[in-house]
Amino acid sequence: MAVIDLSTLMAAISYAITTYSSITRVYSYPPDSVIAPCAVVSYPTLLDYDNTMGHGSDVIDIPVHLIVGLVSDRNASLQLGPYISSTGNYSVKYAIESDPTLGKSVQTSRVTNCSISVMDIGAISYLVATFNINVIT
């Protein structure tokens, strides 16, 4: 296993989302402020080392936050559907799994789950769908 280059990995996820979906505003790192709707690739929540014998691969879970809009905006909840679908032009799952190697930067990747919550960014509350991207290096 080579050294994990988080910056390159996060950029590869960002690239997959912009390339294989109609989501045009994607941040490859957590910004100070956002313009919704957008996707934000965040830092890993899990690093599981030595997934195969001889230090062959590692498993990394990286969250992607799809920020739909203000939580107080009723339309935000109506806009969630296309993003959380497993297929379609706005599907985060479809975008990631269209190129599971993320431009040949990893062995494979997939979206394992999605949760919906409220996230505060710069004292503003947004409706967010968070996707867990499971990556095997």
Side-chain angles (χ1 to χ4, degrees):
M1 164 59 210
V3 173
I4 297 169
D5 183 345
L6 277 182
S7 178
T8 299
L9 179 55
M10 293 166 71
I13 291 171
S14 176
Y15 180 79
I17 294 169
T18 57
T19 301
Y20 299 106
S21 80
S22 295
I23 302 168
T24 57
R25 192 174 297 117
V26 182
Y27 300 91
S28 58
Y29 56 89
D32 293 330
S33 62
V34 297
I35 299 172
C38 67
V40 176
V41 181
S42 195
Y43 295 105
T45 56
L46 172 77
L47 289 155
D48 189 9
Y49 299 109
D50 307 331
N51 190 44
T52 59
M53 288 191 247
H55 308 290
S57 66
D58 299 326
V59 176
I60 305 171
D61 283 349
I62 298 181
V64 172
H65 306 290
L66 195 292
I67 301 167
V68 180
L70 298 176
V71 74
S72 59
D73 182 357
R74 183 179 152 191
N75 287 329
S77 64
L78 299 174
Q79 295 169 359
L80 252 183
Y83 296 114
I84 62 175
S85 294
S86 60
T87 62
N89 291 345
Y90 290 91
S91 169
V92 172
K93 179 176 174 54
Y94 177 79
I96 295 297
E97 294 177 359
S98 290
D99 178 12
T101 67
L102 300 173
K104 299 183 181 176
S105 63
V106 299
Q107 288 184 39
T108 192
S109 64
R110 68 186 184 102
V111 177
T112 57
N113 58 57
C114 173
S115 61
I116 298 168
S117 63
V118 175
M119 178 183 287
D120 292 335
I121 301 173
I124 300 172
S125 296
Y126 292 96
L127 181 62
V128 176
T130 300
F131 299 85
N132 183 62
I133 314 301
N134 181 260
V135 175
I136 299 176
T137 61

